[in-house]
Amino acid sequence: DVAVIDGDINRVKAIEEHRASMSQAVNQPRPTPGESNDPEERAEVRNARVKASFRNYLSTGKIETRDLTVANSGVALPILFNPQVIEAQKSYGEIYDLVNVMKSDHGNPMKLVFDNDTANGLSSVTVGTSASEVDPTITGATLQVDNFTTGVIKIDNGLLNDAGFDLEAFIRDKFAKRFYRGASSLILAGDSGAVGSLTAGYNSVGFTTATTNTLKYADFATAIGTLDPAYQTNAVWAMSNATLAYVIGLTDSNNRPLFLPFDSGASTGFIGSILGRPVKLVTQLPAVATGNVPVLFGDFKEGYTFRQQNPGIGILRLNELFAAGYETGFVGFARCGGVVTDAGTHPIIGITIK
């Protein structure tokens, strides 16, 4: 019978294929002894160990040094926060997000060199006459660091031992927010020391509005025309929430809004655009009022450099200082500096209210 023969043939083929597949070597990743064969479960266990180790440090001050076999290599849990954890808190940075951030492993003074050769080009020369010397304008600035603190957080020792919430996340978030909030304020206002003021460097660079105590559509068009085209590609508007509320009501002669919101603002860090350039909220900038500079516009990475010594924030545990009150203190320290990096062509300009 043909059907029976075909069935026998198919069964023989299936048996041969099964034998062939069984004879092939399959290399499966071997887990660490005592770990699950499920990669996702192993990652979950490792994360739990990291959190438990950090909680142990908060409670006892002891540092876990076991091999955690993270990413196929052993690591020791550091006393300091992981910089990647800090970077995840960029939403608190505001102006910090815009400027150039330089990270160094030391706090030694660093020399920055500025070169301005924009006034030089080609000139005619007579045969037999030596070309004249035309040197670029070279200037510089020294970038140093000052010491800053987040302030002390005191925690009841009973809470350290019995807390039902994530102490790691609590401490991390508090210090991260303080660092980026403080860094943004330092960048704008400076500290009369190693951190120069961005606003002091650029408030006088730009123009004054034509109308007293107000902003108009034409002022933003003037800003586009004032900033050198070399800085237009990465140019950003910076303003406070109060100024944004004012700008939202501005329209052109055809009643089209000046400000256009972004649907992806939460992921991009920008809330919208003005004349095709993104807008960043910087809450420390002033509101629209006579004499104020409520709007900055330009390439902030070219115009300012903020320096921080790695890893950003260092944490000290204060075991004895508050022991009489049955408390333990934690304090964060950072070493930071900043300087305006204007070589002479003003990468950032300000709009001053008349």
Side-chain angles (χ1 to χ4, degrees), residues 136-209:
T137 302
I138 303 295
T139 57
T142 301
L143 183 55
Q144 305 186 73
V145 297
D146 282 341
N147 300 324
F148 299 93
T149 178
T150 60
V152 177
I153 293 179
K154 292 192 298 182
I155 300 181
D156 180 275
N157 287 334
L159 179 63
L160 284 176
N161 296 323
D162 306 329
F165 62 94
D166 193 342
L167 275 175
E168 176 195 3
F170 175 80
I171 297 293
R172 180 188 66 222
D173 291 346
K174 292 301 179 185
F175 281 115
K177 290 177 182 179
R178 292 180 186 184
F179 176 82
Y180 286 107
R181 188 183 301 117
S184 292
S185 297
L186 283 170
I187 291 169
L188 288 170
D191 72 338
S192 301
V195 186
S197 169
L198 184 148
T199 52
Y202 293 108
N203 276 0
S204 60
V205 178
F207 63 96
T208 301
T209 60

Side-chain angles (χ1 to χ4, degrees), residues 102 104 106-112 141-148 191 193-196 304-309 335-339:
M102 176 188 296
S104 61
H106 58 80
N108 298 333
M110 300 177 66
K111 186 71 173 180
L112 301 182
T142 301
L143 183 55
Q144 305 186 73
V145 297
D146 282 341
N147 300 324
F148 299 93
D191 72 338
V195 186
Y304 190 93
T305 294
F306 182 77
R307 179 186 177 189
Q308 66 186 55
Q309 183 176 337
R335 305 186 73 195
C336 305
V339 65

